[in-house]
Amino acid sequence: MRRGSVVVPQPAGLLSVLLNRAAGVDERDDAAMDLEAYSGEHVVKALIDVTSSPVEDELVLDSAAESLGRILARDGGCPEELLASLRPDAKRMVEEMLRASRQAE
């Protein structure tokens, strides 16, 4: 990601866009979708922050939940306490991604 003349390494650039409420919804949504390609505690935490927020935009929430579900499925599952922290609509999406992953195996 390029900011002015500075190149921001990924996923740090994507995380900064996702968590920046002043950024456009379309930019935040794209960042949430692109984060699916990454792993790591900082990526998961950012997606959890978005998917547990009671005021998050629905488009961003859906993309963040889908990416979170796919990351968790790829990286070994999801603790129940993590699921309990998500908004109900995000929890359903994450569970759907986990279920689809198990069926594909």
Side-chain angles (χ1 to χ4, degrees):
M1 170 173 283
R2 188 174 288 281
R3 285 199 187 142
S5 63
V6 178
V7 175
V8 180
Q10 300 302 359
L14 294 171
L15 292 170
S16 70
V17 171
L18 176 65
L19 298 174
N20 179 0
R21 293 207 174 260
V25 170
D26 58 332
E27 295 170 312
R28 294 181 68 227
D29 181 57
D30 287 345
M33 289 187 293
D34 291 346
L35 282 167
E36 176 187 330
Y38 299 91
S39 293
E41 187 177 322
H42 56 292
V43 173
V44 171
K45 183 186 177 325
L47 292 168
I48 290 169
D49 289 349
V50 169
T51 55
S52 61
S53 171
V55 295
E56 189 56 73
D57 179 87
E58 292 296 320
L59 183 64
V60 176
L61 176 82
D62 288 348
S63 294
E66 186 173 337
S67 288
L68 179 61
R70 290 187 173 161
I71 290 168
L72 294 172
R74 180 183 68 226
D75 293 351
C78 180
E80 189 59 40
E81 62 274 5
L82 185 149
L83 283 176
S85 72
L86 305 180
R87 282 178 36 174
D89 42 353
K91 179 181 176 184
R92 278 190 299 279
M93 176 71 76
V94 169
E95 290 173 329
E96 194 175 296
M97 295 292 107
L98 292 168
R99 208 171 12 262
S101 171
R102 284 191 295 267
Q103 290 174 350
E105 292 176 350

